[in-house]
Amino acid sequence: MSTNFEILSHATNASGEPYSVIKVPHTDPKTELLLVNDEWSAESLEYFDLVVGDTVFFAYASSYLNYLITNEVEIIPQYGNENGPISKKDQDVRSIFEELYPNREIIGLNPLYLNNDGGGMHCRFQTQPKLK
């Protein structure tokens, strides 16, 4: 990510203007051990070569940048940790968003139930412009 930051920090847009690159922390890894049960689809079992009773180490696809922009609010991921629903990193990211969107309400939501299938808030709700 440091290399990407360096490249983008020196890049310009089509008009020759530099980009404003903002560093946002990466989430802490979110993992879980799952027991394969009879609710798993036959396709998933076959694809991953699993049988009921197997244990799977599952890593959630998590990111602070998979957030939702609405007309009036920004809904951002807040993952929490073993100490509570909002971690220090969540608070730091919230501060970044409050600075970027000063006239909008920032709402934190734990998106792990969305990340479970590999997506996040923006992936699931893909904001669309209003058609005239």
Side-chain angles (χ1 to χ4, degrees), residues 100-119:
L100 290 172
Y101 300 102
N103 298 319
R104 292 175 175 257
E105 181 179 4
I106 306 297
I107 297 173
L109 175 71
N110 188 325
L112 279 184
Y113 65 95
L114 297 172
N115 298 143
N116 188 32
D117 290 329

Side-chain angles (χ1 to χ4, degrees), residues 76-121:
I76 64 169
Q78 291 191 294
Y79 292 96
N81 59 24
E82 64 279 352
N83 297 319
I86 299 175
S87 69
K88 170 74 168 90
K89 195 178 281 189
D90 290 338
Q91 292 170 348
D92 293 345
V93 170
R94 182 183 193 88
S95 294
I96 292 169
F97 277 89
E98 287 171 345
E99 187 174 323
L100 290 172
Y101 300 102
N103 298 319
R104 292 175 175 257
E105 181 179 4
I106 306 297
I107 297 173
L109 175 71
N110 188 325
L112 279 184
Y113 65 95
L114 297 172
N115 298 143
N116 188 32
D117 290 329
M121 285 185 263

